[in-house]
Amino acid sequence: MSTKIDGKQVAATIKADLAERVNTLKAQGVVPGLGTLLVGEDPGSMKYVAGKHADCQEVGITSVKKELPADASFGQIAEAVRELNDDPACTGFIVQLPLPKGVDENAIINMIDPAKDADGMHPYNLGELVLHVRADIATPLPCTPRGVLELLDAYNIDLEGKEVCVLGRGITIGRTIGLLLTRNAVNATVTLCHTGTRDVADHMRRADVIIAAMGSAGFVTPDKIKEGTVLVDVGVSRVFDEEAGRYRIKGDVDKACYDKAYAYTPNPGGVGPMTRAMLLANVVEMAERSSR
């Protein structure tokens, strides 16, 4: 029997712990606050930001919301970032991507105070992650990669010496999770596959763990994995369900793989809830560091 790795359940446990830590901080006069900057009215982005603030309410974190119209200029967006940097009620914040066409997203991200980078994606914080192979890291970590490791750890899946195949080289996880997996504390061996990889299936069949983050629905099929593989599905695709007459979210891993796997994360309900929980964890840890 393969094991279903329940991200919702693990995230709920983490949030319960965070709620206790938030209460401790408040008793010390420190109130953690998560800020969000939303530009435009993209339905997916609006729903995602609303979910983050619902999570904040659940654990007692203050919400700091900034919204700008879709035609906001680079200067207006930059000014909103500076305001969040300077706002004492905002412990950490995120700029919801994508930004409107023509706005340099990297330039905006670079303007975030690294100490308030709730996503852990500021170049300074990524650089700290690169540098600290052995020592503890005292800067925010990227939420999705951190969520994957926390999820596997919750199910006692040891990655020491394991061959991990990462599918996709996006900045959200593909290019960053290897930095966490190859730290001494984890000690995995990582192969990163992308569109330039000659025989992706060969790498997949040799892997003990596959982390799929391509956004290609059902790409990982039973013939491409070995028996007992751990499957982590991070990919998100909207696929039209003709029977239901509506779009559904599908992951990169074909469900037919589940019986062959040692363990798997469902999608949705696997890594997604953990990403949101890690965002809260980053904010609480920032507050804890500031209170010392």
Side-chain angles (χ1 to χ4, degrees):
M1 286 287 291
S2 60
T3 299
K4 176 183 175 181
I5 300 174
D6 191 339
K8 291 181 180 179
Q9 184 179 55
V10 177
T13 301
I14 289 171
K15 286 193 283 187
D17 173 68
L18 291 174
E20 292 182 8
R21 290 159 63 184
V22 168
N23 285 334
T24 299
L25 285 165
K26 287 181 176 179
Q28 299 168 0
V30 179
V31 182
L34 171 65
T36 58
L37 173 56
L38 176 64
V39 184
E41 297 181 348
D42 175 75
S45 292
M46 292 175 70
K47 182 178 180 180
Y48 195 55
V49 167
K52 290 172 180 175
H53 288 295
D55 290 339
C56 285
Q57 186 174 15
E58 189 176 343
V59 302
I61 293 174
T62 299
S63 290
V64 182
K65 304 176 187 178
K66 282 193 176 292
E67 297 180 356
L68 294 172
D71 60 355
S73 67
F74 180 90
Q76 289 172 315
I77 298 170
E79 177 59 26
V81 170
R82 286 191 287 269
E83 289 173 358
L84 288 168
N85 281 337
D86 295 338
D87 187 350
C90 175
T91 307
F93 69 96
I94 61 116
V95 175
Q96 182 65 33
L97 302 178
L99 291 175
K101 189 175 180 180
V103 176
D104 187 338
E105 293 181 348
N106 287 337
I108 293 296
I109 298 302
N110 284 344
M111 294 178 183
I112 296 173
D113 179 350
K116 287 193 170 187
D117 171 29
D119 261 339
M121 299 297 287
H122 188 281
Y124 175 85
N125 293 327
L126 292 177
E128 285 290 295
L129 178 55
V130 170
L131 288 171
H132 293 90
V133 179
R134 295 174 179 82
D136 290 338
I137 302 173
T139 49
L141 295 173
C143 296
T144 302
R146 181 182 180 185
V148 168
L149 266 62
E150 293 271 0
L151 196 51
L152 296 179
D153 185 61
Y155 279 77
N156 298 313
I157 295 174
D158 185 8
L159 298 176
E160 171 90 26
K162 297 293 177 61
E163 295 279 345
V164 181
C165 178
V166 179
L167 305 176
R169 54 183 167 187
I171 190 65
T172 301
I173 182 165
R175 292 181 66 81
T176 49
I177 194 164
L179 297 172
L180 286 172
L181 288 167
T182 53
R183 296 186 73 245
N184 273 29
V186 182
N187 246 12
T189 297
V190 179
T191 300
L192 175 59
C193 295
H194 45 76
T195 52
T197 305
R198 289 182 180 175
D199 190 345
V200 176
D202 178 61
H203 291 289
M204 292 167 65
R205 292 188 191 103
R206 289 189 278 113
D208 302 305
V209 180
I210 294 174
I211 300 174
M214 302 172 68
S216 179
F219 180 84
V220 181
T221 50
D223 60 303
K224 296 175 185 173
I225 68 172
K226 67 181 182 181
E227 197 78 33
T229 305
V230 174
L231 301 173
V232 180
D233 192 353
V234 193
V236 176
S237 300
R238 293 179 72 246
V239 178
F240 189 74
D241 184 333
E242 293 187 0
E243 289 186 9
R246 63 185 180 88
Y247 283 93
R248 294 186 183 276
I249 297 297
K250 285 198 69 174
D252 287 354
V253 177
D254 189 326
K255 292 181 180 179
C257 294
Y258 292 171
D259 287 341
K260 196 174 181 180
Y262 170 76
Y264 66 91
T265 65
N267 193 342
V271 176
M274 292 298 295
T275 298
R276 285 167 54 176
M278 292 302 99
L279 181 70
L280 301 179
N282 277 347
V283 172
V284 172
E285 288 167 3
M286 291 173 187
E288 289 172 337
R289 283 193 286 268
S290 70
S291 69
R292 291 170 189 154

